Amino acid sequence: MRIYSKIAGTGSCLPEQIMTNMDLEKIVDTSDQWIQERTGIKQRHVVREGETTSTLAINAAQKALDAAGVTAEDIDLIVVGTTTPDLIFPSTACLIQNVLGCSGIAAFDVNAACSGSIYALSVADKFIQSGTHKRVLVIGAETLTRMVDWNDRTTCVLFGDGASAIVLESSNEPGILSTHIHASGAHGDLLNATVGVSTGLKNEPNGGLKIRMKGNEVFKMAVLTLGRMVKETLKANGMNKSEVDWLIPHQANLRIITATAKKLNMDMDQVIVTVDKHGNTSAASVGLALDEGIRTGQIKRGDILLLEAFGGGFTWGSALIKY
Ligand code: COA
């Protein structure tokens, strides 16, 4: 009998502090109208001093554990999608494990930028399917505002902070039907962080760490690739577009989300949209949208969910799930 991973519970956490488009107008040469028209973003949550990727993640994880009706002791693996770890090491997963108090179980980070949520979900699903692990805590958590260049209007208006968590459980019933992950390192120069440990930090504010993106080119690639991704996912499961109840996309830009929904012939009321409130929270975004859909009662048990993401690397991925 096939072993599936089933979503037992979800949770999320957003920092209390909100930065609106009007707040950004005071920092860079931009306007609320431009940001809303080009991206759909109205506001984003921004960490305060003392808040980190792991503090947000721990909060989200606790809510997911509560929703699943389990405790940290019932978890046998932690996988964290993040590109903004608290530290280079220990990994964010180890920091989270320490606070949750489930010492001894395996815990590691996955860096796939904005596709981190799908990559982490895919890795966790494989562990459960192999039969070695029964209950996995899958987290997507980011503090991208810590590496945003607040002088660069082409990027600083896009990103926000947050964390999401999913408890995945082994089950004989579906479950995650399939996951699909891909990458193209050849496009790394279109979207990246400018410095790293091995290449060396610079003698500049924040060590020279900034997000750089050729937005227009990333936009075109994202729309094209996500369209192909949707086809690949449905084909692998012998399913039609009409069988998908909910599209739960990475929340980078409302125009990208709308284009993907159109390719699926889906109305926007079948799409969970949070980009207006959260901005792009990278690896946290798909899980944040999933949690919102579940907690608002829109997503119901038995619904077919299509999760997808695209991000720096380039990386991209999808998951088809019977909730
Ligand atoms: N406020 C006002 N004007 C801005 C601006 C801002 N925040 N940012 C850019 N502009 C200007 C540009 O300078 C440019 O001006 P010009 O025509 O005088 O040169 C104009 O707006 C258009 O810029 P462009 O980059 O072509 O806009 P766009 O329609 O492509 O929108 C993004 C920019 C970033 C919103 C969009 O390209 C995007 O969302 N890209 C993909 C992001 C993504 O999916 N990332 C993947 C995962 S992280």
Side-chain angles (χ1 to χ4, degrees):
M1 193 182 281
R2 178 174 165 184
I3 303 172
Y4 290 96
S5 318
K6 206 156 175 65
I7 296 176
T10 61
S12 55
C13 174
L14 291 156
E16 203 180 61
Q17 179 175 226
I18 289 175
M19 189 182 260
T20 64
N21 292 349
M22 275 74 83
D23 294 330
L24 281 164
E25 284 176 357
K26 294 174 200 148
I27 302 175
V28 281
D29 180 14
T30 190
S31 68
D32 176 41
Q33 190 189 352
W34 189 96
I35 302 171
Q36 285 209 44
E37 278 177 10
R38 301 290 179 123
T39 70
I41 300 168
K42 295 179 183 162
Q43 62 167 53
R44 69 286 295 140
H45 292 251
V46 177
V47 280
R48 286 203 172 98
E49 211 182 322
E51 288 178 309
T52 65
T53 296
S54 75
T55 66
L56 300 179
I58 289 157
N59 197 314
Q62 198 52 63
K63 288 180 188 155
L65 292 169
D66 292 347
V70 298
T71 67
E73 284 157 25
D74 301 314
I75 298 293
D76 51 19
L77 173 67
I78 300 175
V79 186
V80 179
T82 188
T83 188
T84 47
D86 287 26
L87 305 166
I88 302 301
F89 68 88
S91 68
T92 308
C94 285
L95 299 178
I96 294 166
Q97 187 221 45
N98 182 41
V99 175
L100 291 180
C102 43
S103 186
I105 64 167
F108 59 89
D109 292 358
V110 173
N111 179 348
C114 294
S115 309
S117 54
I118 304 285
Y119 265 65
L121 200 66
S122 183
V123 169
D125 179 46
K126 305 289 181 212
F127 271 90
I128 288 182
Q129 277 191 55
S130 76
T132 58
H133 292 70
K134 297 260 176 277
R135 198 174 284 114
V136 184
L137 183 57
V138 186
I139 295 173
E142 301 278 17
T143 46
L144 271 133
T145 64
R146 290 261 158 82
M147 66 169 176
V148 151
D149 176 358
W150 294 105
N151 296 311
D152 177 11
R153 68 175 183 173
T154 68
T155 52
C156 76
V157 302
L158 303 174
F159 299 100
D161 303 326
S164 55
I166 301 171
V167 174
L168 274 188
E169 257 173 23
S170 170
S171 169
N172 291 329
E173 290 171 10
I176 294 183
L177 303 173
S178 69
T179 63
H180 307 264
I181 53 174
H182 300 277
S184 169
H187 294 99
D189 57 329
L190 296 180
L191 171 56
N192 55 34
T194 47
V195 294
V197 176
S198 188
T199 51
L201 303 181
K202 293 181 185 159
N203 193 15
E204 293 173 15
N206 214 18
L209 178 61
K210 296 167 188 167
I211 298 176
R212 284 280 175 258
M213 174 166 68
K214 294 190 177 125
N216 221 313
E217 291 174 59
V218 175
F219 186 96
K220 282 183 230 152
M221 282 293 288
V223 171
L224 203 74
T225 309
L226 290 171
R228 280 207 306 264
M229 177 96 268
V230 164
K231 276 194 195 146
E232 177 190 343
T233 311
L234 292 176
K235 193 170 169 214
N237 291 280
M239 283 175 78
N240 298 318
K241 295 173 186 176
S242 59
E243 292 173 79
V244 179
D245 296 302
W246 289 101
L247 176 64
I248 303 166
H250 171 48
Q251 310 281 323
N253 186 314
L254 188 58
R255 291 186 291 143
I256 298 177
I257 296 173
T258 311
T260 311
K262 207 169 160 192
K263 288 199 168 123
L264 276 161
N265 301 333
M266 285 178 107
D267 292 334
M268 285 308 282
D269 58 9
Q270 289 176 275
V271 184
I272 305 288
V273 175
T274 55
V275 69
D276 53 335
K277 296 178 291 186
H278 302 167
N280 181 348
T281 58
S282 188
S285 98
V286 175
L288 279 166
L290 175 69
D291 187 52
E292 172 154 321
I294 291 171
R295 283 177 190 269
T296 54
Q298 294 169 275
I299 297 171
K300 301 202 166 47
R301 283 287 173 195
D303 284 354
I304 299 292
L305 320 178
L306 177 56
L307 281 55
E308 48 87 341
F310 182 89
F314 287 150
T315 55
W316 61 99
S318 67
L320 195 72
I321 301 175
K322 184 168 184 186
Y323 176 57

